[in-house]
Amino acid sequence: MEKCIDIIPHSSGWIYVLDGQPSASYPCYDLALKAARAQAARDVQTLRRPVFRRMEVSGEMTNLVPPACHP
């Protein structure tokens, strides 16, 4: 199963939405994504795999490619 975490534009920057709950606002996309990833890492109560998505200008949600793992 998957758990979607959406990164969306907000009037004061960017927010993420997790389980229907919006986060605080971040001034840039990168900070919102970093905060969303940190929150997902703390969310150990679920066995669902986090899937990060970004809202595009068209309103469509695009899945983000996870960062490459380096040994």
Side-chain angles (χ1 to χ4, degrees):
M1 282 181 77
E2 297 178 340
K3 173 184 239 174
C4 291
I5 303 168
D6 297 332
I7 314 296
I8 60 175
H10 186 265
S11 62
S12 59
W14 292 83
I15 63 171
Y16 66 87
V17 178
L18 176 62
D19 292 333
Q21 298 297 314
S23 71
S25 179
Y26 297 88
C28 69
Y29 169 81
D30 290 334
L31 288 176
L33 178 58
K34 183 177 179 179
R37 286 187 171 145
Q39 181 61 42
R42 288 190 297 268
D43 189 12
V44 295
Q45 298 177 11
T46 181
L47 296 176
R48 295 183 292 169
R49 180 176 66 89
V51 175
F52 296 91
R53 305 185 308 176
R54 178 183 59 222
M55 181 181 281
E56 301 296 337
V57 174
S58 66
E60 292 183 39
M61 300 304 288
T62 302
N63 285 0
L64 300 177
V65 177
C69 296
H70 298 286

